[in-house]
Amino acid sequence: MSKEITISEAQKLVDEWIKTVGVRYFNELTNTAILMEEVGELARIMARKYGEQSFKESDNEVNMADEMADVLWVLMCLANQTGVDLTDALQKNFEKKNIRDKDRHKENKKLF
């Protein structure tokens, strides 16, 4: 895949892949557990690269971008399964944050 894709297109591509190559979706609870597993794998990389933990020999082959993509993939599976349009959800989330947090971070002295 060389062209940029939208979130909506990505959700459709994940759905097509699951229904053809993947046969079917795992159930929602299984996919939630898989999502937590993938987030944990990303957290492990972050703790070693940016935190205070040192890398182990087994960490040499890890790819942070790939782990982030795994998280996104499973999140899209869950969105597809539960009828969530992630494009719409993200737009509404921006609206919420722009209202709720309009001045909050500018007034947070801890950030300066």
Side-chain angles (χ1 to χ4, degrees), residues 46-59:
M46 297 300 288
R48 282 158 174 71
K49 184 167 183 163
Y50 299 104
E52 295 159 347
Q53 284 191 325
S54 59
F55 275 90
K56 297 177 183 176
E57 181 119 0
S58 60
D59 296 327

PDB file of all heavy atoms in Angstrom, residues 46-59:
ATOM      1  N   MET A  46       8.107   1.246  24.639  1.00  0.00           N
ATOM      2  CA  MET A  46       8.191   2.624  25.132  1.00  0.00           C
ATOM      3  C   MET A  46       8.983   2.682  26.437  1.00  0.00           C
ATOM      4  O   MET A  46       9.800   3.584  26.630  1.00  0.00           O
ATOM      5  CB  MET A  46       6.781   3.197  25.335  1.00  0.00           C
ATOM      6  CG  MET A  46       5.960   3.290  24.063  1.00  0.00           C
ATOM      7  SD  MET A  46       6.697   4.333  22.785  1.00  0.00           S
ATOM      8  CE  MET A  46       6.427   5.934  23.500  1.00  0.00           C
ATOM      9  N   ALA A  47       8.750   1.697  27.326  1.00  0.00           N
ATOM     10  CA  ALA A  47       9.455   1.680  28.611  1.00  0.00           C
ATOM     11  C   ALA A  47      10.951   1.502  28.420  1.00  0.00           C
ATOM     12  O   ALA A  47      11.751   2.021  29.190  1.00  0.00           O
ATOM     13  CB  ALA A  47       8.899   0.567  29.501  1.00  0.00           C
ATOM     14  N   ARG A  48      11.329   0.758  27.387  1.00  0.00           N
ATOM     15  CA  ARG A  48      12.743   0.511  27.153  1.00  0.00           C
ATOM     16  C   ARG A  48      13.402   1.643  26.358  1.00  0.00           C
ATOM     17  O   ARG A  48      14.525   2.032  26.641  1.00  0.00           O
ATOM     18  CB  ARG A  48      12.917  -0.824  26.445  1.00  0.00           C
ATOM     19  CG  ARG A  48      12.773  -1.984  27.425  1.00  0.00           C
ATOM     20  CD  ARG A  48      12.415  -3.286  26.739  1.00  0.00           C
ATOM     21  NE  ARG A  48      12.422  -4.419  27.651  1.00  0.00           N
ATOM     22  CZ  ARG A  48      11.520  -4.632  28.607  1.00  0.00           C
ATOM     23  NH1 ARG A  48      10.548  -3.775  28.806  1.00  0.00           N
ATOM     24  NH2 ARG A  48      11.585  -5.700  29.380  1.00  0.00           N
ATOM     25  N   LYS A  49      12.666   2.176  25.391  1.00  0.00           N
ATOM     26  CA  LYS A  49      13.253   3.220  24.543  1.00  0.00           C
ATOM     27  C   LYS A  49      13.246   4.584  25.231  1.00  0.00           C
ATOM     28  O   LYS A  49      14.215   5.334  25.145  1.00  0.00           O
ATOM     29  CB  LYS A  49      12.511   3.292  23.211  1.00  0.00           C
ATOM     30  CG  LYS A  49      13.124   4.270  22.252  1.00  0.00           C
ATOM     31  CD  LYS A  49      12.586   4.121  20.855  1.00  0.00           C
ATOM     32  CE  LYS A  49      13.319   5.096  19.948  1.00  0.00           C
ATOM     33  NZ  LYS A  49      13.170   4.792  18.561  1.00  0.00           N
ATOM     34  N   TYR A  50      12.156   4.918  25.905  1.00  0.00           N
ATOM     35  CA  TYR A  50      12.020   6.258  26.487  1.00  0.00           C
ATOM     36  C   TYR A  50      12.016   6.246  28.012  1.00  0.00           C
ATOM     37  O   TYR A  50      12.177   7.292  28.629  1.00  0.00           O
ATOM     38  CB  TYR A  50      10.740   6.928  25.978  1.00  0.00           C
ATOM     39  CG  TYR A  50      10.745   7.086  24.485  1.00  0.00           C
ATOM     40  CD1 TYR A  50       9.989   6.243  23.674  1.00  0.00           C
ATOM     41  CD2 TYR A  50      11.540   8.050  23.871  1.00  0.00           C
ATOM     42  CE1 TYR A  50      10.008   6.373  22.292  1.00  0.00           C
ATOM     43  CE2 TYR A  50      11.566   8.185  22.490  1.00  0.00           C
ATOM     44  CZ  TYR A  50      10.793   7.340  21.707  1.00  0.00           C
ATOM     45  OH  TYR A  50      10.818   7.471  20.342  1.00  0.00           O
ATOM     46  N   GLY A  51      11.822   5.088  28.593  1.00  0.00           N
ATOM     47  CA  GLY A  51      11.784   4.967  30.046  1.00  0.00           C
ATOM     48  C   GLY A  51      13.127   4.511  30.591  1.00  0.00           C
ATOM     49  O   GLY A  51      14.161   4.610  29.926  1.00  0.00           O
ATOM     50  N   GLU A  52      13.086   3.982  31.759  1.00  0.00           N
ATOM     51  CA  GLU A  52      14.308   3.632  32.469  1.00  0.00           C
ATOM     52  C   GLU A  52      14.688   2.170  32.349  1.00  0.00           C
ATOM     53  O   GLU A  52      15.755   1.770  32.806  1.00  0.00           O
ATOM     54  CB  GLU A  52      14.147   4.040  33.935  1.00  0.00           C
ATOM     55  CG  GLU A  52      14.035   5.550  34.044  1.00  0.00           C
ATOM     56  CD  GLU A  52      13.385   6.006  35.331  1.00  0.00           C
ATOM     57  OE1 GLU A  52      12.799   5.187  36.059  1.00  0.00           O
ATOM     58  OE2 GLU A  52      13.457   7.219  35.587  1.00  0.00           O
ATOM     59  N   GLN A  53      13.841   1.361  31.712  1.00  0.00           N
ATOM     60  CA  GLN A  53      14.191  -0.043  31.533  1.00  0.00           C
ATOM     61  C   GLN A  53      15.207  -0.191  30.416  1.00  0.00           C
ATOM     62  O   GLN A  53      15.210   0.567  29.450  1.00  0.00           O
ATOM     63  CB  GLN A  53      12.959  -0.881  31.198  1.00  0.00           C
ATOM     64  CG  GLN A  53      12.075  -1.146  32.393  1.00  0.00           C
ATOM     65  CD  GLN A  53      11.028  -2.195  32.057  1.00  0.00           C
ATOM     66  OE1 GLN A  53      10.532  -2.259  30.950  1.00  0.00           O
ATOM     67  NE2 GLN A  53      10.694  -3.009  33.041  1.00  0.00           N
ATOM     68  N   SER A  54      16.077  -1.174  30.567  1.00  0.00           N
ATOM     69  CA  SER A  54      17.064  -1.436  29.520  1.00  0.00           C
ATOM     70  C   SER A  54      16.520  -2.484  28.553  1.00  0.00           C
ATOM     71  O   SER A  54      15.651  -3.288  28.913  1.00  0.00           O
ATOM     72  CB  SER A  54      18.375  -1.934  30.140  1.00  0.00           C
ATOM     73  OG  SER A  54      18.134  -3.119  30.870  1.00  0.00           O
ATOM     74  N   PHE A  55      17.029  -2.441  27.338  1.00  0.00           N
ATOM     75  CA  PHE A  55      16.633  -3.417  26.327  1.00  0.00           C
ATOM     76  C   PHE A  55      17.217  -4.777  26.668  1.00  0.00           C
ATOM     77  O   PHE A  55      18.308  -4.885  27.218  1.00  0.00           O
ATOM     78  CB  PHE A  55      17.117  -2.989  24.940  1.00  0.00           C
ATOM     79  CG  PHE A  55      16.186  -2.034  24.253  1.00  0.00           C
ATOM     80  CD1 PHE A  55      16.333  -0.667  24.429  1.00  0.00           C
ATOM     81  CD2 PHE A  55      15.165  -2.496  23.438  1.00  0.00           C
ATOM     82  CE1 PHE A  55      15.477   0.226  23.806  1.00  0.00           C
ATOM     83  CE2 PHE A  55      14.299  -1.620  22.814  1.00  0.00           C
ATOM     84  CZ  PHE A  55      14.461  -0.249  22.993  1.00  0.00           C
ATOM     85  N   LYS A  56      16.470  -5.821  26.332  1.00  0.00           N
ATOM     86  CA  LYS A  56      16.957  -7.191  26.443  1.00  0.00           C
ATOM     87  C   LYS A  56      17.309  -7.655  25.037  1.00  0.00           C
ATOM     88  O   LYS A  56      16.880  -7.058  24.050  1.00  0.00           O
ATOM     89  CB  LYS A  56      15.860  -8.101  27.010  1.00  0.00           C
ATOM     90  CG  LYS A  56      15.420  -7.740  28.407  1.00  0.00           C
ATOM     91  CD  LYS A  56      14.298  -8.660  28.840  1.00  0.00           C
ATOM     92  CE  LYS A  56      13.801  -8.275  30.215  1.00  0.00           C
ATOM     93  NZ  LYS A  56      12.659  -9.090  30.606  1.00  0.00           N
ATOM     94  N   GLU A  57      18.059  -8.709  24.948  1.00  0.00           N
ATOM     95  CA  GLU A  57      18.429  -9.248  23.633  1.00  0.00           C
ATOM     96  C   GLU A  57      17.189  -9.529  22.785  1.00  0.00           C
ATOM     97  O   GLU A  57      17.161  -9.260  21.586  1.00  0.00           O
ATOM     98  CB  GLU A  57      19.242 -10.538  23.814  1.00  0.00           C
ATOM     99  CG  GLU A  57      19.677 -11.142  22.508  1.00  0.00           C
ATOM    100  CD  GLU A  57      21.176 -11.216  22.373  1.00  0.00           C
ATOM    101  OE1 GLU A  57      21.894 -10.805  23.287  1.00  0.00           O
ATOM    102  OE2 GLU A  57      21.603 -11.686  21.321  1.00  0.00           O
ATOM    103  N   SER A  58      16.132 -10.017  23.414  1.00  0.00           N
ATOM    104  CA  SER A  58      14.903 -10.340  22.677  1.00  0.00           C
ATOM    105  C   SER A  58      14.187  -9.092  22.159  1.00  0.00           C
ATOM    106  O   SER A  58      13.302  -9.190  21.309  1.00  0.00           O
ATOM    107  CB  SER A  58      13.952 -11.139  23.569  1.00  0.00           C
ATOM    108  OG  SER A  58      13.603 -10.381  24.715  1.00  0.00           O
ATOM    109  N   ASP A  59      14.556  -7.917  22.653  1.00  0.00           N
ATOM    110  CA  ASP A  59      13.939  -6.665  22.216  1.00  0.00           C
ATOM    111  C   ASP A  59      14.577  -6.106  20.944  1.00  0.00           C
ATOM    112  O   ASP A  59      14.078  -5.132  20.385  1.00  0.00           O
ATOM    113  CB  ASP A  59      14.047  -5.602  23.314  1.00  0.00           C
ATOM    114  CG  ASP A  59      13.275  -5.970  24.568  1.00  0.00           C
ATOM    115  OD1 ASP A  59      12.227  -6.617  24.443  1.00  0.00           O
ATOM    116  OD2 ASP A  59      13.735  -5.605  25.667  1.00  0.00           O
TER     117      ASP A  59
END
